Amino acid sequence: MTSDEAPTPPGASTAPRPLGSTRTGEVPAGAAGAAQPGSRATARTTSRDVARLAGVSQAAVSLVLGDKWHGRVSPGKAEAVRDAARTLGYRPNLAARSLRMGRTRTALLVVPALTTEFFARVYTGAARVAAEHGFGVVLYPSPEGIGPARDPFDSAAATLDGVIASSMAADALTTLRDAGLPLVMLDSDPGDPRATATVNLDIADGVRQLTTHLVALGHRRLTHLAAEVGSWTFEVRSRALTDALHDVPGAQLRREPAALDIDAGLRAAHAALTGPGPRPTALLCDDDIIAAGACKAVRRLGLRIPEDVSVTGFDDLALAVAVEPELTTVRLPAEEFGEAGMRALMAVLDGHPAPAPALPVELVARGSTAPPADAPGNAARPGGG
């Protein structure tokens, strides 16, 4: 007997079962739509049938189909099991297995909001890995973006196996913390005591790449349009920018706070470009949405991008190539981020150490950055003065 089949009750007959009957933990091949084309099912396929066709034990079948075979079953035998399962149309009954293992095979993904495609792509990656392990994913955006959210379930501990959450939606976890569920935090402080595991993007390196790019072009007067969000990821961006400019001779860094929307980016950029003192030659924005607002502000002031002011974003959303000129930004691998988060959760649920990667990010230089103009009036405020 394996974990994919229920034991025969005491006194029950072990004689061949009539057509239409099935054991707990087995799915009829015909119901799965995997019977051989043109054939008529005469029996219900079991893991014993798969083991016989593959030439392995039932335990090996359970390990392979439960994706726990690595280091315990050879790759050749694992492939033989998968081939046999496909040929016979066998699939373990995940509902019955969940009851035996005490799992719901459901993970919750908590994100701040679905206002951009970034978190939609995170979900896509997480759901892909979850499906490989026979798990489903419930996507729960915090209704107010980054504020607290009610528990979406009557009892999270009874309906979920684990939670993956963005640091930007950390406040939404308040009602879930008492459930004692494994928690994988994305883009979060590795020392956060709430997290069972953390998975991060190398945000600091992305900021360094952007800063190096601008400094190499000759920029020394920079203004950071900083996201007005109390989140670890934006704190990292601010510190990394300060550190990157620390040893650059003549570098001047100012900051203007901005909410995560286009209008806020426009207002912050306008303030930066019209404030007292020399005008910045570059605006570094904490994300592409703020940068889009900054581009509007530059044009409304009668300035040109990049001749008068360079503008950079962060994320590489579709918006980055919708503006003109296209936006220099940092590409974040959103789907891979979601995949890594789900793999970490699967590792925790299997009792293994969870990987804690910092996924690499990539500078994408486009038309919104160029060397600062040499004209004497470049440092003047719009309209003179």
Side-chain angles (χ1 to χ4, degrees):
M1 182 180 69
T2 74
S3 60
D4 293 327
E5 298 178 286
T8 303
S13 170
T14 58
R17 289 159 287 152
L19 183 64
S21 66
T22 184
R23 282 190 187 138
T24 300
E26 296 171 3
V27 174
Q36 299 255 0
S39 66
R40 187 168 60 90
T42 57
R44 302 307 184 189
T45 303
T46 70
S47 63
R48 187 176 293 108
D49 300 321
V50 176
R52 186 180 301 113
L53 181 59
V56 300
S57 67
Q58 283 182 268
V61 171
S62 181
L63 288 170
V64 173
L65 299 184
D67 198 30
K68 298 180 180 180
W69 63 273
H70 299 277
R72 304 167 75 179
V73 179
S74 71
K77 288 185 176 179
E79 187 59 33
V81 168
R82 287 190 286 265
D83 287 343
R86 282 192 293 266
T87 299
L88 296 174
Y90 173 77
R91 291 182 181 178
N93 187 324
L94 295 179
R97 178 186 289 177
S98 295
L99 289 173
R100 290 191 294 275
M101 297 177 67
R103 286 187 180 179
T104 65
R105 307 190 77 81
T106 303
L108 180 69
L109 176 61
V110 183
V111 298
L114 294 180
T115 52
T116 73
E117 76 266 22
F118 179 81
F119 287 107
R121 285 157 45 198
V122 169
Y123 167 79
T124 297
R128 182 184 300 121
V129 172
E132 294 171 358
H133 291 78
F135 268 64
V137 180
V138 176
L139 178 63
Y140 189 57
S142 174
E144 300 302 323
I146 59 173
R150 292 178 299 174
D151 183 349
F153 303 96
D154 290 336
S155 175
T159 52
L160 299 169
D161 284 330
V163 179
I164 303 172
S166 162
S167 65
M168 290 177 62
D171 289 342
L173 302 174
T174 303
T175 56
L176 295 173
R177 287 175 192 149
D178 294 338
L181 294 168
L183 171 62
V184 174
M185 292 294 292
L186 303 179
D187 219 9
S188 180
D189 184 352
D192 190 335
R194 299 171 299 178
T196 310
T198 57
V199 175
N200 285 320
L201 299 164
D202 199 343
I203 296 297
D205 184 59
V207 173
R208 286 190 291 269
Q209 291 182 52
L210 264 182
T211 308
T212 299
H213 170 69
L214 290 171
V215 168
L217 290 173
H219 293 278
R220 295 297 183 271
R221 297 191 306 277
L222 304 97
T223 294
H224 177 204
L225 301 193
E228 203 169 17
V229 177
S231 172
W232 179 83
T233 183
F234 293 116
E235 293 170 2
V236 168
R237 296 172 204 211
S238 183
R239 289 196 303 268
L241 178 56
T242 299
D243 292 345
L245 290 173
H246 183 266
D247 295 324
V248 177
Q252 302 173 28
L253 176 63
R254 296 180 179 179
R255 284 195 169 85
E256 286 287 343
L260 292 173
D261 63 64
I262 290 176
D263 286 343
L266 186 156
R267 291 191 297 271
H270 185 276
L273 294 170
T274 60
R279 190 179 70 220
T281 62
L283 302 176
L284 284 82
C285 306
D286 264 349
D287 79 348
D288 294 342
I289 296 175
I290 293 176
C295 290
K296 292 179 70 173
V298 172
R299 288 191 294 271
R300 288 186 181 185
L301 290 168
L303 300 172
R304 300 166 299 167
I305 302 170
E307 292 85 354
D308 299 311
V309 182
S310 289
V311 179
T312 67
F314 216 93
D315 287 349
D316 198 26
L317 305 176
L319 179 63
V321 293
V323 297
E324 184 61 41
E326 294 182 353
L327 196 61
T328 292
T329 187
V330 172
R331 179 174 296 153
L332 306 183
E335 288 192 27
E336 291 87 342
F337 196 29
E339 290 175 352
M342 187 58 69
R343 288 195 188 97
L345 180 59
M346 294 297 104
V348 169
L349 292 175
D350 286 340
H352 303 311
L359 303 183
V361 301
E362 176 187 3
L363 172 70
V364 182
R366 298 192 178 106
S368 68
T369 52
D374 294 328
N378 186 51
R381 294 171 59 185

